[in-house]
Amino acid sequence: MYYIYMLRCEDDSIYTGITTNIEHRMKEHFSKINCAKYTYSHTAKSLEAVWQTQNRVLASKLEYRIKRLTKVNKEDLIVKNNLKELLQEKLDTSQYIRLELKG
């Protein structure tokens, strides 16, 4: 299983990444140990959204498409969960399941 996630940083920017182990990857981002270069310099504040998919190819496609969205569209995606609306013409959105976040 692969996960595509969106993190909010302290400067209110949004970082998008992929992983096979969401809990482990979040520990890396929040502790700044083995985190992404971006979240090292833009401290991660909160996990905003997570999607699950079957393989790396699908995960990479969604990550790429999310990274190309405007900040306004990224905010909408987080709040409205409108993946299909935003990306249906560019991606088969049925391949992704949004996971509920605890807390």
Side-chain angles (χ1 to χ4, degrees):
M1 231 18 93
Y2 279 81
Y3 302 92
I4 306 89
Y5 58 91
M6 297 173 77
L7 291 174
R8 183 166 312 275
C9 297
E10 287 185 353
D11 64 357
D12 207 37
S13 62
I14 298 171
Y15 173 82
T16 304
I18 63 173
T19 187
T20 56
N21 185 328
I22 196 73
E23 291 85 11
H24 179 73
R25 190 66 180 131
M26 291 307 103
K27 286 178 187 174
E28 291 177 335
H29 281 299
F30 293 122
S31 70
K32 291 192 173 188
I33 298 172
N34 294 326
C35 67
K37 187 176 180 180
Y38 188 87
T39 57
Y40 187 80
S41 61
H42 299 80
T43 304
K45 180 171 72 171
S46 61
L47 178 61
E48 297 291 319
V50 179
W51 291 267
Q52 176 181 306
T53 195
Q54 292 296 319
N55 60 57
R56 184 173 182 85
V57 171
L58 291 171
S60 294
K61 285 180 181 181
L62 181 56
E63 178 192 32
Y64 173 78
R65 291 296 175 189
I66 291 173
K67 286 183 173 187
R68 298 193 49 91
L69 292 174
T70 65
K71 175 82 163 36
V72 170
N73 284 338
K74 289 177 186 180
E75 295 288 356
D76 279 351
L77 181 55
I78 291 167
V79 174
K80 297 177 184 175
N81 189 20
N82 57 351
L83 185 67
K84 185 176 180 179
E85 178 186 320
L86 289 171
L87 298 175
Q88 70 182 352
E89 293 177 8
K90 301 181 185 294
L91 198 64
D92 178 4
T93 57
S94 68
Q95 299 290 317
Y96 307 95
I97 299 167
R98 180 147 178 193
L99 303 179
E100 292 293 320
L101 299 178
K102 297 175 187 174

